[in-house]
C-alpha cells in the first residue's frame, strides 16, 4: 500500500456512520476516505420492490449524512471496486465482512483482483455482534441447537460500540469520478414502509427501548399491540448495528437479547451450511410428501392473497402486502398453515416472503421457514402444528389485529372474529380452504413416514 494513499469504505449492509467498525479501521489507515456503494444486479434483481425501495431511501439518507459525498456505481463489484480504487489511487478497501453465500464468493474475487493491483483488502467485523463461524463447541464443531448456541454466544461476548460519525475521516468528494444517481424507489402503490436511514433507526430504537422494552417479554407475541421493536428492516440494512442495541440492554432484557441471538444463530447456521438457503437442513425431509399440482398452486394463491378463510392467517398475509412486514408470531402461524395445513413446499413461502418483506434476510428467512417446516435445526417438528383458530384467539384475544387487516370481518365483535363460519361468513369473505383437524392428521402421518 502506498504511503498516505487514500482508502475506500465500501458500504454494503452497513448503511450508517455510527458504531461502524470498518470506518474506524479505515480512519486508522488513511486520512482521506471515499464512501462507495455498488449497485449489484446479482443482489438487486432478486430483491422485491419493498426492499429495493427501502434501500433507495437508506442510500439517500446516508448520502445526506455525508453531505452528498457518497459515490454510487452500477455493475459487477469484481470489476467496479478495483476500477474505483485505481481511479483515486487507493491503497486499501475497507468493509464489514459479508457472511452470506453470495457475498463470501464475491468478496473473495474482489479481494483477489485488488491484490493483483496492489490494493489491500481489509475486513473488520460484520453485520452481527459476533461474526458467524466464531462461536463453536469446545471441539470446534458448530452448534446445531439454539439454546446452547445462545449460552456460548453470551459467554463469548462482543466489543463495545465503535465511536464513529461523519467527522471520523475526511471524506473524498466524488466529483469527477464516474458514478450513477441513486435509483428512484419503485412504485409501491398504497404500501407504507418505515422511514429509512440511520436517524430513523435510532429513533425507532429509542421509542422501543423507552416504551415497549420493559414489558417486551409479556407482550411480544401480541400482534394487536404495538409491542414489537420494528427494528428488523434497520438491522437488515445495517442502519443500526446489533452491538449498539446490546450495549443498552440490562439483565432484565433477556427476551429481547435472545431475539437478537436468534438472528445471529441463523447466520451462523448458514455460514456452516450455505446450501440450506435452498435445500433442507435435515436431508431426510427431502422425502417428505408435498402437494405441487394445480390445486396446490390454487391454494398457494389463496394463501398469498390472504383469502384462506382463516382470519389470523389472512390478516398476516394482508399485512405483508400492505406494509412489507409481518408480526413475528403471525409469521410462524402463516408458515405453519402453508406447510402443515396446505402441505406445500416451505421454499414457496420463503420465496414469497423474500419478494415482499422489507426486512427480507436470507439467513433469518430461510432458516425460520425450515424451523417451522421441521426440516431445520429444531429437533421436535411433529408437535408444532399451529391451530390457526386457537392461535388467533390466544394472541389476538379481542380480534383487533384481524379487523385491522380484514375489513370484511369488521362487523364481528371480540374473539368471534376468529371463527366467522359460526355466524355465517360475511359477504366477500371466503369459507376455510381446508379443515384444520383433518390436515393436522395428514401432516402427522407424512412426518411419521420419514425415516428416523
Amino acid at each position: 500500500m502506498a504511503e498516505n494513499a487514500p482508502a475506500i469504505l465500501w458500504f454494503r449492509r452497513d448503511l450508517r456512520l455510527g458504531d461502524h467498525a470498518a470506518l474506524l479501521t479505515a480512519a486508522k489507515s488513511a486520512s482521506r476516505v471515499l464512501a462507495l456503494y455498488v449497485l449489484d444486479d446479482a443482489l438487486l434483481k432478486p430483491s422485491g420492490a419493498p426492499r429495493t425501495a427501502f434501500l433507495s431511501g437508506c442510500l439517500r439518507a446516508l448520502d445526506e449524512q455525508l453531505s452528498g459525498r457518497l459515490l454510487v456505481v452500477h455493475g459487477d463489484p469484481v470489476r467496479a471496486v478495483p476500477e474505483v480504487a485505481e481511479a483515486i489511487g487507493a491503497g486499501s478497501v475497507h468493509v464489514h465482512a459479508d457472511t452470506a453465500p453470495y457475498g463470501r464468493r464475491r468478496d473473495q474475487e474482489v479481494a483477489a483482483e485488488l491484490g493483483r493491483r496492489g490494493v489491500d483488502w481489509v475486513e473488520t467485523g460484520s453485520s452481527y455482534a459476533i461474526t458467524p463461524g466464531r462461536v463453536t463447541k469446545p471441539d470446534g464443531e458448530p452448534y446445531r441447537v439454539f439454546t446452547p448456541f445462545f449460552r456460548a454466544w453470551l459467554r463469548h461476548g462482543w466489543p463495545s460500540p465503535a465511536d464513529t460519525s461523519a467527522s471520523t475521516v475526511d471524506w473524498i468528494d466524488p466529483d469527477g469520478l464516474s458514478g450513477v444517481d441513486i435509483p428512484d424507489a419503485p412504485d409501491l402503490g398504497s404500501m407504507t414502509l418505515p422511514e429509512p436511514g440511520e436517524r430513523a433507526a435510532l429513533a425507532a430504537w429509542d421509542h422501543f427501548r423507552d416504551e415497549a422494552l420493559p414489558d417486551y417479554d409479556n407482550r411480544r407475541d401480541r400482534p394487536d399491540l404495538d409491542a414489537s421493536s420494528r427494528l428488523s428492516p434497520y438491522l437488515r440494512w445495517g442502519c443500526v448495528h446489533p452491538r449498539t442495541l446490546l450495549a443498552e440492554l440490562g439483565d432484565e432484557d433477556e427476551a429481547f437479547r435472545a431475539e437478537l441471538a436468534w438472528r445471529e444463530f441463523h447466520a451462523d447456521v448458514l455460514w456452516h451450511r450455505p446450501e440450506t438457503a435452498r435445500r433442507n437442513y435435515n436431508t431426510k425431509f427431502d422425502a417428505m410428501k408435498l402437494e405441487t399440482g394445480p390445486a396446490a398452486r390454487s391454494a398457494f394463491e389463496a394463501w398469498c392473497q390472504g383469502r384462506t378463510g382463516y382470519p389470523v392467517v389472512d390478516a398476516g398475509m394482508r399485512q405483508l402486502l400492505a406494509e412489507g412486514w409481518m408480526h413475528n408470531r403471525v409469521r410462524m402461524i402463516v408458515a405453519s398453515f402453508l406447510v402443515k395445513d396446505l402441505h406445500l413446499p416451505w421454499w414457496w413461502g420463503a420465496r414469497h416472503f423474500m419478494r415482499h418483506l422489507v426486512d427480507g434476510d436470507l439467513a433469518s428467512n430461510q432458516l425460520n421457514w425450515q424451523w417451522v417446516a421441521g426440516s431445520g435445526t429444531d429437533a421436535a417438528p411433529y408437535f408444532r402444528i399451529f391451530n390457526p383458530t386457537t392461535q388467533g384467539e390466544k394472541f389476538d384475544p379481542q380480534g383487533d389485529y384481524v379487523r385491522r387487516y380484514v375489513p370484511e370481518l369488521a362487523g364481528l365483535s371480540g374473539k368471534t372474529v376468529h371463527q366467522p363460519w359460526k355466524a355465517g361468513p360475511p359477504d366477500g369473505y371466503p369459507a376455510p380452504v381446508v379443515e384444520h383437524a383433518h390436515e393436522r392428521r395428514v401432516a402427522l402421518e407424512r412426518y411419521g413416514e420419514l425415516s428416523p
Side-chain angles (χ1 to χ4, degrees), residues 272-327:
H272 291 286
R273 296 279 305 277
E275 77 280 2
T276 59
R278 301 289 180 264
R279 298 199 293 272
N280 290 320
Y281 177 93
N282 185 339
T283 56
K284 79 174 184 179
F285 280 80
D286 293 348
M288 185 76 173
K289 182 180 178 182
L290 301 170
E291 304 299 325
T292 58
R297 285 290 175 184
S298 178
F300 179 65
E301 286 305 313
W303 178 84
C304 291
Q305 296 167 13
R307 294 193 59 78
T308 68
Y310 284 92
V312 73
V313 173
D314 294 342
M317 299 308 295
R318 296 187 195 188
Q319 181 182 26
L320 176 63
L321 297 178
E323 301 173 10
W325 187 86
M326 191 191 303
H327 186 276

Side-chain angles (χ1 to χ4, degrees), residues 215-274:
D215 204 23
Y216 175 75
D217 195 21
N218 296 322
R219 292 158 52 94
R220 60 188 171 130
D221 279 323
R222 292 280 300 275
D224 56 325
L225 305 176
D226 183 20
S228 297
S229 72
R230 294 284 189 131
L231 290 169
S232 53
Y234 301 116
L235 288 166
R236 163 64 179 84
W237 288 110
C239 301
V240 65
H241 196 280
R243 182 177 48 209
T244 302
L245 314 182
L246 289 162
E248 297 190 28
L249 297 180
D251 293 341
E252 69 280 8
D253 300 318
E254 192 75 352
F256 187 70
R257 189 180 289 106
E259 290 302 307
L260 293 174
W262 269 107
R263 178 175 178 269
E264 309 241 335
F265 174 61
H266 286 143
D268 191 75
V269 172
L270 189 63
W271 169 271
H272 291 286
R273 296 279 305 277

Side-chain angles (χ1 to χ4, degrees), residues 353-429:
F353 268 30
M354 288 295 284
R355 189 175 300 121
H356 292 281
L357 282 172
V358 68
D359 63 10
D361 171 84
L362 188 68
S364 293
N365 187 66
Q366 309 302 91
L367 289 162
N368 269 316
W369 268 94
Q370 293 215 48
W371 184 86
V372 173
S375 63
T377 56
D378 183 54
Y382 303 100
F383 309 106
R384 192 185 300 109
I385 300 178
F386 290 159
N387 181 318
T389 301
T390 57
Q391 287 280 312
E393 291 173 342
K394 180 177 181 180
F395 297 111
D396 182 27
Q398 297 306 313
D400 295 334
Y401 175 74
V402 164
R403 281 186 291 273
R404 189 182 312 155
Y405 295 103
V406 187
E408 304 98 298
L409 303 180
L412 298 180
S413 61
K415 65 168 54 179
T416 61
V417 77
H418 295 295
Q419 299 188 63
W421 51 85
K422 286 190 172 181
D427 289 342
Y429 189 69

